Amino acid sequence: MSIFQAQGYLTLKLDTNLNIATASVTRILYRKPDGTTGFWEADSIENNKILVYDMTDADLDQPGVWTFQAFVTLDGRNGYGEYVQKEIKPFVHDITL
């Protein structure tokens, strides 16, 4: 499935492979194609181990390869998930249907 720049109605899910139900911090870290880094707070935790984030139109603001990583703080310790990379395609401007 292709994902396009400025596309909303997407849900990002990252499986941590451990029980994070009591985590005090649940974030999805990202690196944009231009190297800018940041994070989104997870909206929820699914099945006690999957970070869930519902994306908005403003989140994927650059085409290119994005890197995502789960981050949690659990019992005072930080944990990181595996990197996930996804190509975000540019949208086509000024299409007349």
Side-chain angles (χ1 to χ4, degrees):
M1 175 181 143
S2 294
I3 298 176
F4 294 90
Q5 176 185 0
Q7 183 174 343
Y9 300 106
L10 295 173
T11 300
L12 178 60
K13 295 182 179 185
L14 297 178
D15 192 338
T16 64
N17 288 316
L18 70 125
N19 187 337
I20 57 169
T22 60
S24 59
V25 176
T26 55
R27 293 179 176 164
I28 295 175
L29 310 179
Y30 62 79
R31 183 172 44 242
K32 296 180 181 187
D34 70 357
T36 303
T37 59
F39 66 88
W40 299 302
E41 298 289 345
D43 290 321
S44 61
I45 299 171
E46 188 175 282
N47 297 327
N48 293 327
K49 64 178 189 164
I50 300 170
L51 295 180
V52 178
Y53 177 70
D54 293 319
M55 302 189 114
T56 69
D57 297 355
D59 288 331
L60 299 175
D61 59 354
Q62 295 178 15
V65 177
W66 284 64
T67 302
F68 304 100
Q69 185 179 31
F71 172 82
V72 299
T73 300
L74 184 65
D75 298 327
R77 298 182 297 174
N78 294 334
Y80 295 86
E82 296 290 328
Y83 293 134
V84 176
Q85 292 189 316
K86 184 68 179 173
E87 180 181 357
I88 306 305
K89 296 183 177 184
F91 56 83
V92 179
H93 297 274
D94 302 322
I95 293 178
T96 303
L97 300 177

